[in-house]
């Protein structure tokens, strides 16, 4: 029987507080994905399977979890009994995982990420409703032959390409960085089919993020270059969270030029919530488009990996 596979990775959706009245004092990633599913009456009778891929507070997300997730997704794509995949995730780095999956997935089956802002033990927990929504969205997407990556929570659906966390504590914490949410029947953006294999590469390139701000004099960039030289570890890339539409403090820019002269790839993104940095003819520094700085880091890592092949 075709079923939706729910992959658990942790997050607040699986979080618990010892005192439900003080739900801000909770620990993320405590309940299994099985327990999350059994707490949602709407899911009873729906053909589902669960798999615990990881159990992390997503602030601690990294390649180990992404590798495990890539392996689970690769198997799910090959399993004819799986019609769609739902991933439970923490909200903090959901935009990075979403962006990664959008880059790698080949579009064979729909993948829907969901999360929660309140732990499972809160009297007004949002996780059960979000999980039910994600399964509904995944089932409907599979029925219409959709094969991209989306994020379903708080009653809205976001493209994995656009989504980002936009509020640190509101229940409806995500937006599209200027892009609208997807309608129930809107086709999802085509994922980019980069392939899961690249997740297994070692070592991963090192890409760091620096911010342009008042008095940004490039001290951190020079310190990173000096450290790389002293330790023999290569700094491969830098994402700059720029002011406005990709502008840089002149002193930071001078340091970035020194980094580039040493072979470091530098991309500009924006520290502004909406609009990103769109590429223009004659750009001195490549623009990361609509990606947030954290997403641009993922994209540059993937580009550096593919340049290695
Ligand atoms: C996390 O990202 O794992 C914790 C915070 C959250 O899910 O809201």
């Amino acid at each position: 029987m075709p079923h939706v596979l729910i992959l658990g990775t942790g997050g607040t959706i699986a979080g618990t507080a010892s005192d439900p009245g003080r739900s801000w004092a909770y620990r993320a990633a405590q309940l299994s994905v099985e327990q999350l599913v059994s707490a949602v009456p709407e899911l009873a009778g729906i053909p589902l399977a669960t798999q615990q891929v990881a159990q992390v507070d997503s602030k601690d997300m990294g390649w180990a979890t992404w590798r495990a997730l890539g392996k689970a997704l690769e198997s799910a794509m090959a399993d004819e009994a799986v019609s769609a995949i739902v991933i439970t995730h923490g909200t903090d780095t959901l935009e990075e995982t979403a962006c990664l999956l959008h880059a790698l997935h080949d579009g064979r089956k729909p993948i829907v990420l969901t999360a929660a802002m309140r732990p499972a033990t809160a009297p007004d927990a949002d996780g059960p409703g979000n999980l039910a929504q994600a399964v509904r969205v995944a089932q409907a997407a599979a029925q219409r032959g959709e094969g991209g990556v989306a994020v379903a929570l708080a009653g809205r659906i976001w493209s994995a390409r656009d989504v980002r966390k936009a509020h640190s504590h509101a229940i409806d914490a995500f937006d599209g960085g200027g892009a609208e949410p997807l309608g129930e029947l809107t086709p999802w953006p085509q994922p980019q089919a980069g392939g899961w294999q690249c997740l297994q590469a070692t070592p991963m390139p090192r890409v760091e993020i620096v911010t342009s701000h008042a008095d940004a004099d490039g001290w951190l960039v020079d310190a990173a270059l000096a450290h790389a030289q002293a330790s023999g570890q290569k700094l491969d890339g830098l994402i700059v969270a720029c002011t406005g539409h990709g502008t840089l403090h002149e002193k930071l820019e001078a340091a970035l030029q020194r980094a580039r002269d040493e072979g470091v790839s530098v991309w500009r993104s924006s520290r502004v919530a909406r609009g990103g940095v769109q590429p223009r003819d004659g750009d001195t520094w490549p623009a990361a488009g609509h990606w947030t700085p954290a997403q641009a880091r993922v994209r540059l890592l993937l580009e550096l990996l593919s340049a290695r092949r």
Side-chain angles (χ1 to χ4, degrees):
M1 162 103 84
H3 59 260
V4 176
L5 174 63
I6 307 185
L7 301 177
T9 70
T12 293
I13 193 168
T16 57
S18 48
D19 177 354
R22 297 173 72 243
S23 54
W24 63 92
Y26 70 95
R27 290 185 63 165
Q30 301 300 306
L31 300 179
S32 68
V33 61
E34 188 84 52
Q35 287 171 301
L36 300 187
V37 169
S38 55
V40 185
E42 295 99 300
L43 298 181
I46 297 181
L48 298 173
T50 58
Q51 184 182 339
Q52 194 75 46
V53 170
Q55 190 64 302
V56 291
D57 183 324
S58 83
K59 70 180 176 54
D60 300 323
M61 186 55 65
W63 287 107
T65 304
W66 281 341
R67 280 192 187 109
L69 190 56
K71 274 199 181 307
L73 287 168
E74 201 172 6
S75 312
M77 293 304 144
D79 184 347
E80 283 180 12
V82 175
S83 57
I85 298 97
V86 166
I87 302 171
T88 58
H89 199 287
T91 62
D92 284 341
T93 54
L94 183 142
E95 73 196 48
E96 292 169 60
T97 301
C99 154
L100 179 80
L101 300 186
H102 177 71
L104 302 185
H105 180 36
D106 65 7
R108 255 186 289 172
K109 297 175 188 181
I111 301 175
V112 181
L113 292 120
T114 194
M117 291 297 285
R118 293 183 185 136
T121 46
D124 46 3
D126 51 331
N130 287 347
L131 183 54
Q133 182 202 353
V135 170
R136 272 196 313 274
V137 168
Q139 280 185 311
Q143 274 159 16
R144 348 181 262 281
E146 195 70 68
V149 188
V151 175
L153 37 68
R156 298 200 280 180
I157 308 169
W158 299 102
S159 151
R161 189 193 57 190
D162 302 322
V163 76
R164 71 258 341 253
K165 189 168 180 179
H167 200 289
S168 59
H169 56 274
I171 280 293
D172 192 3
F174 286 80
D175 77 18
E180 293 297 311
L182 297 169
E184 292 286 336
L185 297 175
T186 316
W188 299 357
Q190 197 56 33
Q192 294 169 318
W196 307 111
Q197 247 348 81
C198 69
L199 293 177
Q200 306 309 324
T202 48
M204 279 293 163
R206 173 170 288 277
V207 178
E208 299 290 339
I209 301 176
V210 290
T211 303
S212 190
H213 50 78
D215 289 329
D217 61 4
W219 189 88
L220 269 182
V221 173
D222 288 327
L225 290 176
H227 177 71
Q229 204 165 40
S231 66
Q233 291 172 332
K234 191 163 176 311
L235 174 64
D236 300 285
L238 282 170
I239 299 297
V240 194
C242 294
T243 38
H245 191 243
T247 49
L248 291 161
H249 193 295
E250 58 188 356
K251 292 183 178 161
L252 175 59
E253 185 161 15
L256 292 170
Q257 187 56 59
R258 291 191 282 281
R260 188 151 74 178
D261 291 344
E262 294 194 21
V264 179
S265 298
V266 181
W267 284 9
R268 287 173 306 137
S269 62
S270 180
R271 62 183 219 183
V272 179
R274 298 196 174 84
V277 182
Q278 303 310 319
R280 288 183 178 143
D281 284 349
D283 274 344
T284 310
W285 303 96
H290 64 281
W291 304 112
T292 65
Q295 291 173 323
R297 177 180 169 276
V298 172
R299 301 295 300 204
L300 179 51
L301 278 162
L302 293 176
E303 191 159 304
L304 292 168
L305 279 175
S306 84
R308 258 193 212 164
R309 281 187 226 148

